[in-house]
Amino acid sequence: MRYLGPLDRIIGHFCREGYSVSVGDGVVWLSRDGSKGAVWVVPIGGGLDEILWAVMGATEYANRFGNSYVALPVNLAKRIDESHFWTYGIGLLVYDEDMVR
């Protein structure tokens, strides 16, 4: 079995849910049944700059279009209160080498 990188696993996660997926500029763009969404993926080695980029992009998208997510590696997600994401209408995906949830 080949190893799937984080981006491949996130794409697979949404494809299994019936979304059409495309990727551009570090963002996973989603569409299904006329609705659209986007996932800003923070890489495993990401730091504060990547987190800020993701949160700001996801917040702007959510305010304009809805269905916005940030995908964080589990080591970063452990350090963040996920309720902040819910408060601003942003979904949070957490991933590691084996899963996306």
Side-chain angles (χ1 to χ4, degrees):
M1 181 172 155
R2 76 178 184 95
Y3 171 76
L4 294 177
L7 190 58
D8 292 329
R9 286 193 305 282
I10 292 166
I11 290 168
H13 173 79
F14 283 99
C15 286
R16 284 188 296 278
E17 296 294 319
Y19 286 90
S20 295
V21 177
S22 64
V23 179
D25 298 327
V27 179
V28 177
W29 302 100
L30 310 168
S31 65
R32 179 177 71 179
D33 299 329
S35 67
K36 296 185 182 211
V39 183
W40 279 257
V41 180
V42 176
I44 288 178
L48 184 57
D49 286 342
E50 289 84 2
I51 294 170
L52 287 172
W53 166 80
V55 170
M56 292 172 73
T59 301
E60 181 180 352
Y61 189 90
N63 288 335
R64 296 171 122 199
F65 307 108
N67 296 325
S68 183
Y69 304 87
V70 171
L72 292 174
V74 71
N75 64 313
L76 293 176
K78 287 180 182 179
R79 299 173 31 194
I80 294 175
D81 181 353
E82 64 189 59
S83 69
H84 296 300
F85 289 87
W86 302 333
T87 300
Y88 293 98
I90 299 170
L92 176 63
L93 298 171
V94 179
Y95 70 88
D96 64 14
E97 296 83 18
D98 300 316
M99 61 82 191
V100 175
R101 63 172 170 85

